[in-house]
Amino acid sequence: MANNTVILMSLSPLSIRLFCDLAARSNVIDLNTSQGAMFYRGDDIEIDIGIGQSGALLTSLGNVASVTCQIFQSETDANPPMMSATVLAANMNLGLTQSQWSNNTSPFYHAAFVFPNSQTAVSLNGQATVNYWLRILAQTTDTPAKLITLLDGPVTVKDGPISAASAPPPGYFRFYTVAGNIVPQLYDPVSGHYYNLEIDTVGGARTLSLGDTAY
């Protein structure tokens, strides 16, 4: 008797897989497609990275505090990033081996940045395709902490399923670099600005508060 069992496959986004080579930081090539990094606006995406130098993966990374992936309007944009995600060392695979990275076998990467569709719904200003600027940087545990650019270059964003008539909703929580430090910020929909989330001591008790400086 024939076996008519149907195995259902789960559909998930194909990650953007980037090798952050400290000796070639402008080489933004998606290893899963062998082409420049790109995504469709309004899609859920994942960016997986391996950190290395001169083509070789750096293993046993011991002084990484966090890595941050940001997308800006342009290379010289001084405004806050349109998209930003930070992965702390506790959620990284700092012991990734060269074999695991080369063979794309679990656990695949040093860090994975997950961007929901609400964040990728960036404006394309009526154009079908726009080249924006991707920057990935690391913060170390050194004293003082060091910020190190791991990858820096263009990323292509193509028009997707988001209506051009609707503005993308802001991310109400984000990590942002202020004075060389990565700090958490909350969005105020009334003012349209972000404010630093701070810990203050009031009456001997620690409390959360928002800073006064708008970003």
Side-chain angles (χ1 to χ4, degrees), residues 148-200:
I148 302 172
T149 297
L150 302 176
L151 194 64
D152 186 56
V155 57
T156 300
V157 184
K158 295 188 176 183
D159 203 4
I162 302 300
S163 170
S166 61
Y172 284 86
F173 177 82
R174 72 178 185 183
F175 288 97
Y176 190 63
T177 302
V178 178
N181 296 311
I182 298 175
V183 299
Q185 294 184 334
L186 290 179
Y187 179 76
D188 177 15
V190 176
S191 67
H193 296 292
Y194 286 88
Y195 295 88
N196 292 346
L197 186 62
E198 302 173 347
I199 298 178
D200 294 324

Side-chain angles (χ1 to χ4, degrees), residues 12 18 39 51 54 62 66 97 101 128 130 147 179 191 213:
S12 59
L18 303 176
F39 63 88
I51 305 170
S54 300
S66 65
T97 67
W101 173 255
V130 175
L147 289 178
S191 67
T213 304

Side-chain angles (χ1 to χ4, degrees), residues 56-69:
L57 192 77
L58 295 177
T59 58
S60 299
L61 294 171
N63 69 329
V64 176
S66 65
V67 288
T68 298
C69 178

Side-chain angles (χ1 to χ4, degrees), residues 10-210:
S10 297
L11 182 64
S12 59
L14 179 66
S15 64
I16 299 171
R17 195 161 178 262
L18 303 176
F19 182 59
C20 301
D21 194 328
L22 293 173
R25 303 184 209 198
S26 61
N27 190 28
V28 188
I29 299 298
D30 183 354
L31 299 182
N32 279 332
T33 63
S34 299
Q35 299 177 352
M38 65 80 61
F39 63 88
Y40 288 91
R41 78 184 187 105
D43 272 9
D44 292 272
I45 69 170
E46 177 177 320
I47 298 177
D48 299 340
I49 66 167
I51 305 170
Q53 186 169 326
S54 300
L57 192 77
L58 295 177
T59 58
S60 299
L61 294 171
N63 69 329
V64 176
S66 65
V67 288
T68 298
C69 178
Q70 298 175 324
I71 292 179
F72 295 86
Q73 289 271 358
S74 65
E75 181 177 5
T76 58
D77 188 5
N79 296 307
M82 299 185 297
M83 295 167 49
S84 182
T86 295
V87 179
L88 301 177
N91 297 317
M92 296 177 63
N93 176 27
L94 298 178
L96 180 68
T97 67
Q98 181 69 62
S99 176
Q100 290 168 337
W101 173 255
S102 298
N103 297 325
N104 199 11
T105 55
S106 182
F108 305 113
Y109 45 72
H110 275 131
F113 304 100
V114 177
F115 292 97
N117 53 63
S118 60
Q119 283 200 55
T120 67
V122 296
S123 173
L124 299 186
N125 300 313
Q127 301 182 63
T129 301
V130 175
N131 287 329
Y132 286 132
W133 201 260
L134 177 139
R135 179 165 293 140
I136 299 176
L137 56 89
Q139 181 170 346
T140 71
T141 58
D142 303 322
T143 304
K146 296 181 178 65
L147 289 178
I148 302 172
T149 297
L150 302 176
L151 194 64
D152 186 56
V155 57
T156 300
V157 184
K158 295 188 176 183
D159 203 4
I162 302 300
S163 170
S166 61
Y172 284 86
F173 177 82
R174 72 178 185 183
F175 288 97
Y176 190 63
T177 302
V178 178
N181 296 311
I182 298 175
V183 299
Q185 294 184 334
L186 290 179
Y187 179 76
D188 177 15
V190 176
S191 67
H193 296 292
Y194 286 88
Y195 295 88
N196 292 346
L197 186 62
E198 302 173 347
I199 298 178
D200 294 324
T201 301
V202 179
R206 291 183 177 179
T207 60
L208 287 176
S209 64
L210 295 179

